[in-house]
Amino acid sequence: MTSKPAIAFLLASASLSLGACAYTGQPQSTPRAADLAMDETAPTRAKNVILFIGDGMGVSTVTAARIYAGQKQGMSGEEHVLPFETFDNVALVKTYNTNAQVPDSAGTATAMHSGEKTRIGLLGLGPDAVRGECAGAMEHALPLLGEEAKERGLALGIVSTARLTHATPASVYARSPDRNWEADAAIPEDQQGLGCTDIATQLVEADFDLALGGGSVSFFGSALGGRRGEEDANLPANWAGRSGGTIARTADELAAAPMDRPVLGLFSPSHMTYTAARAQDGVGQDEPTLTQMTSQAIARLSQDPDGYYLMVESGRIDHAHHAGQAGFALEETVEFARAIEYAIANTDPDETLILVTADHSHVFTIAGYPRRGNDILGLVVPPEGATDNTEEPTPAADGVPYTTLGYANGPGAIAGMMERPVPETGVTATQQAAIPLGSETHAGEDVALYAQGPGADAARGVIEQDVIYDIIRDAYGWE
C-alpha cells in the first residue's frame, strides 16, 4: 500500500509567533488513537478537548477542499490528504433539528454543547421553548458545556471567524429563545423586560479565559454599535474592569496581550474578513487568521494545569456557500485545515482529544465527469478518450459548458433564464444553481466527525449530533 503524501501547509505567522514547536508537515507521525488504545500506559481520560466546527463543511466541501488544497500545491488534487483525514476514528452525524429535517446552526450547535437536540433558532434551550417568545423560555434551559468546564476548574476558550454572538460560538455560553437577539436592540419591544438577556451581554457576563472573533457592533452603544439605551455603552470595557482581562482589536494587540490574563478579541464590526478577500483585496490585514487565533488559544489555555476546553469555528465557510461562492468557501476550509494542523502539531495526543466536524452541510455538488486533475473551480473537461475532443469543456444539452461545482439552489440560479450564460470560474465566481433563492440553503445529509486522542474511539458508526456532547464529557471522565 502506498503511503499518503505528507501535508505541508504554510502556517500564517504575521504578527504572531507560533512558538518553537513548529509543524514539520508530517501529521502521519502523530500517534494514532488506535495505538493509544492498545498502550496500557496511555491515559484513558482527556486533559484537554478541542472541538473544531467547520460551519457548513459537509462531505462535498471536504472533498472539494482536499482537491483544491492539493492543486494549490501543484498536485492533481484528488490524492491529497487534509490533516484531519489521517484520524483513525470517523463517524457520520445526523444533524436534523427537532422541528426540521434540514437544520440551522443554533439547533445543531446547541446539540453539541448541551447534549440535547432542539428547534431551529434556539440557543441553549430545549425544544419545548418557543422561538421568539421570552416568557417561560428559561424554564427550558439546558446545561452548557462551557459552564461545566469552568465549574470543574478548566480553562475555556472560544474562537470563531464569525461574530462571537453568532449561533455556533454563542452555543458555548448563551441561552436565548432567538439566535438573532445578539444585541439588546435586536430584542423586540414586546419581549423586553421578560427575563431574557441579549447574547452580547451574556458573553461579557460569562466566565471564560479567551474569546476571539468578530462582532464588535453588538457590544457598543448607539453611537458606535447596535445597543439601545446609553449612547456610550461599552460592554468590553465593563468586562475588562470586572475580569482584569485585556481587549484586543488587532492581531498585534492579541500578540501583545498578557498571557496570564483573560483576553477578549473583537477584530471586526461583524464577521471577520474572508480569507480570499484578504489575499486578493488586501482588506482585513490587521485581523488575525484562524490559525493565528488557534495558536494563541492553545498557548494561553494550556497554561492551566487542570486542562481546557476550546471550541474553534470556521464560520465563514457557511457564509460563502450561502452566497454561492464555492471558491471563497474552499479558501476558508483550507485555512480551517491549517488551524487543525497547527493543533495536531502543538498538542500532546496522549492528553488532548481533537474533534473535527460540521454543524450541517450545504446543497453543494461535485459533478460532471471531469478528468483527473481538472481545475476544481473550472469548467468540466472530459477524461482522455471519453469524447472526440477532450481539450474543450463538455457542453450541456443547451450547448453551454458547465462547472464541476454547483448548487441546488441559491443566488446563481439559472431557472427562468431564456439562455444560460457561460458560467463564471475561479475563486471569486458565483456558481450556477438550479432553484432561484436569494441565499443558498443548508442541506440535510449527515456530516462527518473525525476524532483523535483519548476517547476518540467513541466516534464511530452513525450517531445523533447530541452524542458529541457525551463523547466530550466521557473523554474528560465526568460523571
Side-chain angles (χ1 to χ4, degrees):
M1 179 182 296
T2 58
S3 62
K4 296 177 180 178
I7 316 303
F9 284 116
L10 177 63
L11 294 178
S13 59
S15 305
L16 294 176
S17 171
L18 299 186
C21 189
Y23 185 53
T24 63
Q26 300 292 332
Q28 293 89 336
S29 66
T30 301
R32 303 172 81 95
D35 298 329
L36 296 176
M38 296 172 60
D39 183 358
E40 295 181 358
T41 66
T44 58
R45 295 183 179 181
K47 178 181 179 182
N48 316 305
V49 175
I50 306 176
L51 175 61
F52 284 96
I53 301 175
D55 196 324
M57 191 185 72
V59 172
S60 58
T61 301
V62 174
T63 303
R66 175 198 309 145
I67 296 170
Y68 180 69
Q71 290 181 349
K72 284 169 70 75
Q73 298 182 36
M75 307 175 191
S76 67
E78 297 84 2
E79 74 281 16
H80 190 53
V81 182
L82 296 173
F84 52 89
E85 293 182 304
T86 65
F87 292 0
D88 279 337
N89 302 278
V90 182
L92 289 177
V93 180
K94 297 192 282 185
T95 64
Y96 64 91
N97 294 151
T98 59
N99 64 338
Q101 286 181 335
V102 178
D104 90 319
S105 296
T108 53
T110 292
M112 289 185 273
H113 281 117
S114 75
E116 185 170 339
K117 283 179 177 278
T118 192
R119 293 172 178 257
I120 272 183
L122 298 182
L123 278 171
L125 300 175
D128 291 332
V130 178
R131 183 173 185 178
E133 292 189 10
C134 181
M138 294 306 133
E139 295 175 7
H140 308 292
L142 298 174
L144 298 181
L145 189 64
E147 288 182 348
E148 185 171 8
K150 291 303 298 182
E151 289 167 359
R152 291 179 177 270
L154 275 65
L156 174 63
I158 305 163
V159 170
S160 179
T161 53
R163 296 190 295 266
L164 283 173
T165 50
H166 214 234
T168 301
S171 70
V172 179
Y173 63 86
R175 299 178 179 89
S176 177
D178 195 318
R179 57 174 289 177
N180 294 324
W181 293 358
E182 296 183 50
D184 62 348
I187 302 177
E189 287 190 14
D190 64 352
Q191 299 299 314
Q192 293 278 332
L194 299 179
C196 293
T197 305
D198 67 272
I199 296 169
T201 297
Q202 291 188 62
L203 175 60
V204 297
E205 292 179 350
D207 187 6
F208 65 86
D209 298 274
L210 174 141
L212 307 177
S216 62
V217 68
S218 294
F219 294 83
F220 295 95
S222 55
L224 295 173
R227 306 197 64 78
R228 60 164 54 95
E230 287 187 77
E231 188 172 323
D232 59 350
N234 188 329
L235 298 187
N238 296 341
W239 168 82
R242 289 193 304 270
S243 66
T246 301
I247 303 165
R249 301 170 189 82
T250 66
D252 288 344
E253 289 183 0
L254 176 59
M259 295 292 290
D260 59 349
R261 292 193 294 176
V263 60
L264 172 60
L266 293 169
F267 305 111
S268 177
S270 185
H271 305 303
M272 294 178 67
T273 305
Y274 281 118
T275 301
R278 289 168 59 104
Q280 295 180 1
D281 302 329
V283 296
Q285 293 298 312
D286 59 345
E287 300 174 14
T289 65
L290 184 62
T291 301
Q292 290 170 333
M293 290 192 290
T294 300
S295 71
Q296 282 284 333
I298 291 172
R300 293 170 184 275
L301 299 178
S302 61
Q303 296 181 111
D304 192 314
D306 297 319
Y308 61 82
Y309 175 69
L310 171 62
M311 192 287 298
V312 178
E313 183 205 21
S314 179
R316 307 228 65 190
I317 299 171
D318 176 75
H319 302 156
H321 277 320
H322 281 306
Q325 291 187 284
F328 272 51
L330 299 188
E331 279 287 347
E332 294 300 306
T333 308
V334 169
E335 174 60 24
F336 186 51
R338 289 191 188 100
I340 297 166
E341 184 177 42
Y342 181 87
I344 293 170
N346 290 276
T347 58
D348 184 346
D350 287 351
E351 61 181 24
T352 302
L353 171 63
I354 297 178
L355 301 170
V356 179
T357 191
D359 46 359
H360 55 74
S361 184
H362 276 267
V363 293
F364 175 61
T365 60
I366 310 171
Y369 307 113
R371 64 174 57 186
R372 176 76 183 272
N374 197 63
D375 179 3
I376 192 66
L377 294 176
L379 301 172
V380 170
V381 178
E384 293 183 10
T387 64
D388 292 337
N389 185 349
T390 59
E391 299 305 318
E392 296 296 325
T394 302
D398 59 4
V400 178
Y402 57 96
T403 54
T404 303
L405 304 181
Y407 293 94
N409 58 47
I414 59 173
M417 291 183 178
M418 294 297 293
E419 293 184 2
R420 184 173 64 91
V422 175
E424 300 174 8
T425 59
V427 172
T428 62
T430 298
Q431 264 62 38
Q432 291 183 346
I435 299 171
L437 291 175
S439 176
E440 179 266 1
T441 71
H442 298 170
E445 73 269 17
D446 299 348
V447 298
L449 170 66
Y450 309 83
Q452 171 184 278
D457 57 355
R460 60 181 60 186
V462 180
I463 64 174
E464 298 286 353
Q465 197 161 39
D466 49 289
V467 171
I468 293 174
Y469 171 84
D470 299 324
I471 291 173
I472 293 171
R473 295 188 79 256
D474 289 347
Y476 280 128
W478 295 347
E479 297 296 333

